[in-house]
Amino acid sequence: MRSQQLSSIRPNLDLDSTQSTPAEQFQNQTLRPILKFQHELLVVAFRAYIDKRHGVFFQLSAKDRVEWIKHSLQKDQSLRNTLTGMVIGHFSLEEWDSFQANEAEHSRRLIQMLIQRLQSAVESFKNQD
């Protein structure tokens, strides 16, 4: 029941996974659709993170902003846990089992995709001061 409900709210990305490794299949069939579904929330949560840092982000060049996003997600355990929790909370029980079976690889892929997604949204981060 839960698996069907979760699947029904995710966008269908129509990605071909026939030639993919199991890690790539998990990335394309689970992580990408959840990230797309959660995009707005992830961006808003990261914007709140920027605001807590007193807007230092807005004093950086565009290139440095991209690096700041990457560094923040790699080094700030609390931020990483918050954002990954927003994704993991949308796993079915079967997906959770798959994630746990190869946690290091799936976590690495998830963080990399979060970094890329937030870096691509950097233009939407406007200084509201």
Side-chain angles (χ1 to χ4, degrees):
M1 176 75 130
R2 183 174 194 275
S3 296
Q4 292 171 338
Q5 291 172 333
L6 288 169
S7 293
S8 73
I9 63 172
R10 292 182 192 163
N12 182 0
L13 302 183
D14 247 357
L15 300 172
D16 181 18
S17 298
T18 55
Q19 301 294 319
S20 302
T21 66
E24 290 169 332
Q25 287 177 351
F26 186 81
Q27 171 183 297
N28 291 332
Q29 293 172 356
T30 301
L31 297 178
R32 286 190 191 283
I34 294 171
L35 285 166
K36 185 168 185 159
F37 178 75
Q38 291 288 83
H39 178 77
E40 284 183 64
L41 181 60
L42 294 165
V43 169
V44 168
F46 193 75
R47 175 56 208 234
Y49 177 80
I50 290 171
D51 291 343
K52 285 183 182 177
R53 297 321 163 274
H54 305 292
V56 68
F57 178 84
F58 298 108
Q59 298 166 8
L60 302 173
S61 68
K63 181 182 176 192
D64 289 340
R65 287 180 183 187
V66 168
E67 279 303 309
W68 193 87
I69 291 168
K70 180 179 178 181
H71 179 79
S72 295
L73 272 160
Q74 289 175 337
K75 301 299 180 189
D76 190 319
Q77 186 70 38
S78 178
L79 173 66
R80 193 166 56 245
N81 288 344
T82 298
L83 297 181
T84 58
M86 290 176 181
V87 174
I88 292 171
H90 283 263
F91 284 0
S92 68
L93 298 177
E94 298 81 10
E95 290 166 339
W96 172 250
D97 289 341
S98 295
F99 182 81
Q100 287 289 281
N102 197 1
E103 186 175 0
E105 176 65 15
H106 293 319
S107 291
R108 183 192 65 76
R109 288 175 181 265
L110 174 54
I111 294 301
Q112 189 59 41
M113 290 173 19
L114 279 166
I115 290 169
Q116 291 171 350
R117 182 162 285 274
L118 292 170
Q119 286 173 336
S120 70
V122 74
E123 291 302 313
S124 69
F125 299 139
K126 305 288 185 224
N127 190 350
Q128 296 176 348
D129 289 336

